[in-house]
Amino acid sequence: MTRPASTSAADAQDTEGFVSLLAPDCRIEWPYRPAGLPAGVQGRERIREFLTGQANGLVTFDEYRNTTIHETIDPEVVIVEYEAHGTVVPTGAPLHQTIIAVLRIRDGLVVSYRDYLNPLVLAEALAGVDSDAMGVPQC
């Protein structure tokens, strides 16, 4: 399978490139997450705002490694495994996260993106950050 543009956009920390691959009503969800972070964000514009205004203030990702893409019997669904390496912005602490994402793609656009990250790794990395200071909207 050819590597989808969405992972290439993420490699470059290209928020606009990534958001351009989302359907207008796309929903990104984080089923497992530390307290203080939203369960999800709905809509391309709100996702753009979240990624540029909130998420980039918490964590920046410098590199994605060991990306594996799995096709499923549902032609709209792919599963992506990858490692994200970055920095917790408020503390400067390194972050290494192994992630599995389930994407539903329809008419060439992502309509659903479920990001299964390890909440313990993220909670530990954010341990010194005041949740009120994060300013993350609850959706």
Side-chain angles (χ1 to χ4, degrees):
M1 174 180 224
T2 304
R3 186 176 182 183
S6 61
T7 59
S8 297
D11 281 345
Q13 195 80 22
D14 178 9
T15 299
E16 286 304 314
F18 175 75
V19 170
S20 74
L21 299 170
L22 305 178
D25 61 344
C26 179
R27 179 163 176 82
I28 295 181
E29 299 176 65
W30 298 276
Y32 307 111
R33 66 203 174 281
L37 295 180
V41 180
Q42 178 84 37
R44 182 189 293 149
E45 294 310 312
R46 290 198 69 202
I47 291 168
R48 175 184 284 114
E49 291 170 12
F50 176 77
L51 293 176
T52 57
Q54 306 298 328
N56 286 342
L58 291 176
V59 177
T60 58
F61 291 105
D62 306 313
E63 185 177 12
Y64 296 89
R65 301 181 193 161
N66 301 320
T67 301
T68 304
I69 299 169
H70 303 277
E71 294 183 47
T72 69
I73 58 174
D74 182 336
E76 290 188 340
V77 176
V78 295
I79 299 169
V80 182
E81 294 179 79
Y82 62 98
E83 295 175 10
H85 296 263
T87 305
V88 178
V89 174
T91 66
L95 178 70
H96 173 209
Q97 181 69 262
T98 300
I99 300 168
I100 294 176
V102 179
L103 289 79
R104 179 169 295 277
I105 302 167
R106 188 174 300 133
D107 298 325
L109 295 174
V110 176
V111 295
S112 172
Y113 189 119
R114 272 182 271 135
D115 211 11
Y116 292 91
L117 52 82
N118 181 344
L120 299 176
V121 171
L122 192 55
E124 184 177 304
L126 295 174
V129 180
D130 178 10
S131 62
D132 291 335
M134 288 192 266
V136 178
Q138 298 298 309
C139 300

